[in-house]
Amino acid sequence: MSVSSKSSGITSNRWFKPVVVTAGALVVALILVLVAQWLRTLQPVQQFLTDYPGHSAVPEGAPTGFPAWLGWQHFLNMFFIVLIIRSGWQVRTTTRPAANWTRNNKGFIKTKNPPTKISLDLWFHLTLDALWALNGIIFIVLLFATGQWLRIVPTNWDVFPNAISAGLQYASLNWPVENGWNNYNSLQLLTYFITVFIAAPLAIITGLRMSGAWPKKAAINKFYPIELARKIHFPVMIYFVAFVIVHVTLVLATGALRNLNHMYAANDDAGSWWGFGIFAASIVFTAAAWFLARPLFLRPIASLMGKVSR
């Protein structure tokens, strides 16, 4: 067999699996839609949707609308998550890093043993993690200080049947009526709760366990080995990727201008383009950061905190 035929065979095999997976996913999605639409023709299911329209009552005292700080938090979370996913994937897949970094054992963070040399990719990932965690602490404090937590924490058991109802409505392509300015539907509420109070802490705890900052001789290591952290950390990253894709898709498909005004302009105007403009600017800013997140630009910044070497 010639070299050209071998290379063409490798290329075709490389494309074959993604095409098959994509086609399979589309078939499964089509079947899901047809089944959901059929279920909605059944009288018991119709009664269930009547009894549980897809959202729970707003708790007494819950605020209406979105404050400006929530828009900033939304942008910062998006910015950090995108770069964390990128850098985490680089750490996982890069076998020969372009540069390494060793922390200066001076100042506030000083250890008895010499600092461990890590890749520049890992330094960038850990730095983003620290900034994201700090931003998350500020977010949680503001969430409870302003009462916004009432909008994303389940306070009634009917949130679960309502979430099933909302899921069935989404699956049948007859989507639930959106009124996020006043109240999320129950599926949104549970998803945001899982993201903020379960997935995010899991990402931080498992990431910290895998980092060099974790004490190697801690007693808890017997019950919380690094292998367990690795098994949890990667699926959590996959969850965040799926969350971002679904979240952005639904934001754009269920009234883009109004939703973007909620999230970025802190108003409920369905005709204003302010939210879209801020969103577009945030995408450009994040894309620029994605492009600049390479050794040529990271080395000078990393050098301020340690020694960069090959």
Side-chain angles (χ1 to χ4, degrees), residues 84-100:
I84 284 172
I85 291 171
R86 177 189 187 277
S87 59
W89 184 252
Q90 285 182 312
V91 170
R92 186 178 179 87
T93 58
T94 301
T95 56
R96 185 174 294 180
N100 295 298

Side-chain angles (χ1 to χ4, degrees), residues 114-166:
T116 303
K117 180 189 291 187
I118 61 176
S119 70
L120 189 62
D121 292 331
L122 181 56
W123 166 82
F124 185 49
H125 186 67
L126 294 175
T127 301
L128 290 168
D129 286 341
L131 293 173
W132 180 60
L134 176 61
N135 185 66
I137 292 172
I138 296 172
F139 173 72
I140 294 296
V141 170
L142 291 174
L143 201 67
F144 282 94
T146 61
Q148 287 286 334
W149 69 272
L150 289 167
R151 303 190 60 186
I152 63 170
V153 174
T155 58
N156 195 308
W157 286 106
D158 73 354
V159 69
F160 297 105
N162 273 303
I164 295 173
S165 172

